[in-house]
Amino acid sequence: MYRLLAALLVTVAACSGDDSSSSGDASTRSTATTTAPSEEGSAGSYVEVEFVAADGEERSGRLFGAGDVAVVLSHMGRPGDGQDDWQKFAEDLVSKGGLQVLTYEGRRTLSETWNDVVGAVEYLRDDGADVVIAGGASIGAMASLEAAINPDSQISAVLWLAGVLHNSGYDFTAADVSGLACPMLVASGDQDGYGAANDARQLSDWTPGVSQLLIVEASQHGTDVLTEADPNVADQLRDAMIGFIETAANQPPATC
């Protein structure tokens, strides 16, 4: 059984948002390929897909690339945040070959976003992925970790970018993560305005031998580091996340 979360919504800009749910026929994949401009102007192709979250909500997303290794990327929850925030990174990942990336449009009830991660992972597993890595920024990081600590998790690794331990209905403790056996990258900007750097250090301390900690010199929050920070810092974070995913992909298939 999935752990029940309180539906408390704490209105903190870093982890609050106004994303709406999408609906559709969750049993089918769109056959149309959409080409959209990335943040740097290059063109990236993705297939529009639909899947069902763990709580039965129908969700829509974008599937980039193909392969037996898959990555779910969950975006931040502020007004204006969305799957476009991960598009350039998704394109960078699939350009390596042999993997697919799924982004999706988040929901309004942030405390339930972890259900979307579980549903996305199940969708990719059903589609043939042997390894599925759950990654996210801010609320997306928190939802990914919540999904991973589920007893029925099918997640192979976790990428946590600028999440916080206690917000928007999520309340992580050392006991919650003590049983994790999958690799984790725990990252944040050192001057993150929402306390994500301190929480990254705490989470890393709670998961010795499992997580690796990365604190970069940036004041931006989450995926904003990739687009607004010093280019050298953005490249440092991007390269570290890609390297982590490549390493996790090459390990024997296992789950958290």
Side-chain angles (χ1 to χ4, degrees):
M1 294 294 295
Y2 298 123
R3 189 159 70 103
L4 295 179
L5 297 174
L8 175 64
L9 177 63
V10 181
T11 52
V12 175
C15 300
S16 64
D18 192 31
D19 298 321
S20 60
S21 299
S22 302
S23 61
D25 180 0
S27 64
T28 61
R29 173 183 298 196
S30 170
T31 58
T33 299
T34 303
T35 300
S38 71
E39 291 171 348
E40 295 185 0
S42 62
S45 295
Y46 55 80
V47 177
E48 295 180 348
V49 299
E50 297 172 338
F51 64 92
V52 179
D55 59 356
E57 287 278 344
E58 295 179 348
R59 316 301 299 145
S60 63
R62 302 168 180 171
L63 186 65
F64 301 77
D68 56 8
V69 174
V71 183
V72 177
L73 293 176
S74 303
H75 63 73
M76 299 194 290
R78 304 168 307 186
D81 288 323
Q83 24 184 359
D84 286 348
D85 301 338
W86 278 119
Q87 179 161 327
K88 179 60 170 62
F89 184 72
E91 293 169 3
D92 290 343
L93 275 176
V94 301
S95 70
K96 305 291 183 180
L99 61 80
Q100 54 187 313
V101 178
L102 176 63
T103 64
Y104 63 91
E105 204 60 41
R107 62 173 74 193
R108 294 179 185 273
T109 308
L110 301 180
S111 62
E112 298 299 331
T113 303
W114 67 279
N115 288 288
D116 299 338
V117 178
V118 173
V121 171
E122 291 179 348
Y123 173 84
L124 291 166
R125 289 283 188 182
D126 290 344
D127 203 38
D130 296 324
V131 173
V132 183
I133 299 160
S138 191
I139 194 70
M142 297 149 68
S144 298
L145 181 59
E146 182 65 33
I149 63 179
N150 232 286
D152 299 320
S153 170
Q154 299 185 69
I155 294 170
S156 307
V158 175
L159 192 163
W160 165 288
L161 175 59
V164 293
L165 295 172
H166 312 289
N167 196 275
S168 299
Y170 297 91
D171 188 21
F172 297 105
T173 67
D176 291 330
V177 299
S178 62
L180 283 176
C182 61
M184 291 180 57
L185 176 63
V186 182
S188 175
D190 63 343
Q191 301 173 59
D192 184 287
Y194 303 102
N198 288 336
D199 281 4
R201 295 185 182 97
Q202 180 65 81
L203 179 57
S204 181
D205 287 345
W206 286 346
T207 52
V210 171
S211 66
Q212 51 183 293
L213 176 66
L214 175 65
I215 304 295
V216 298
E217 295 182 1
S219 59
Q220 292 81 7
H221 185 58
T223 45
D224 290 347
V225 177
L226 298 173
T227 57
E228 299 175 11
D230 179 277
N232 292 327
V233 173
D235 287 344
Q236 179 189 5
L237 176 60
R238 182 179 295 104
D239 291 347
M241 293 194 297
I242 291 175
F244 170 76
I245 289 169
E246 290 178 334
T247 299
N250 289 323
Q251 293 185 351
T255 58
C256 295

